[in-house]
Amino acid sequence: MREGMGRNYGIQKIAVKHVASMVEELLCLSMERLNRSARRKQNWQKPVKEWCKVNTDASFISSSASGAGGAVIRDEEGRLIAAASKRYKHLEDALMAEALAARDGLMLAGVTGCEKVIFEIDNLPLFNLLHSEAGERNVIAGLWQEIRELGKNFSDFIISFV
């Protein structure tokens, strides 16, 4: 009798594992659907008349502590004003790469003569940091301050998260 119970217990254990696996798969599929719907594709929008739009983005490779950043500046018609890219070494993290790209993009906007700037970034931690006073206590404090100062050089300056 004991042997039969052991066999049933083994079958039950296999069945429980199978059901748990199915539930986990179902939850993952539901989460994927939620993530897809939450991240709808957003098309680039032209800035309003007399404004420039500066878009920056960066990459980070932790194994080599390096990365790259780029910036694109467009006018109210969507025409390219300027674009640039740069490699970065000795990076702390992705936030630092994003901040370097942001700084370089705003410097490029300054030298190209942009006066009214919509600055679009896709890094939420950097966006939040630039809208707070917490940047002075962050590892990117110098870049945080530099980005904020560069923004003051424009007659109008808006930071937007996309």
Side-chain angles (χ1 to χ4, degrees), residues 1-6:
M1 181 143 177
R2 190 173 181 157
E3 188 178 312
M5 284 180 22

Side-chain angles (χ1 to χ4, degrees), residues 30-40:
S30 296
M31 291 304 292
E32 280 181 29
R33 284 189 197 120
L34 283 174
N35 286 339
R36 279 191 214 133
S37 63
R39 288 193 280 157
R40 292 184 313 218

Side-chain angles (χ1 to χ4, degrees), residues 17-35:
K17 283 184 178 181
H18 179 71
V19 169
S21 173
M22 289 173 52
V23 168
E24 184 178 358
E25 188 175 320
L26 180 62
L27 288 173
C28 288
L29 287 173
S30 296
M31 291 304 292
E32 280 181 29
R33 284 189 197 120
L34 283 174
N35 286 339

Side-chain angles (χ1 to χ4, degrees), residues 125 128-141 144 148:
N128 289 335
L129 210 53
L130 292 172
H131 282 90
S132 75
E133 296 303 315
E136 60 192 19
R137 295 182 307 276
N138 195 286
V139 72
I140 64 157
W144 170 82
R148 289 170 60 123

Side-chain angles (χ1 to χ4, degrees), residues 140-156:
I140 64 157
L143 289 166
W144 170 82
Q145 183 63 38
E146 198 172 352
I147 292 166
R148 289 170 60 123
E149 290 299 317
L150 285 166
K152 292 176 184 176
N153 292 332
F154 305 108
S155 63
D156 287 305

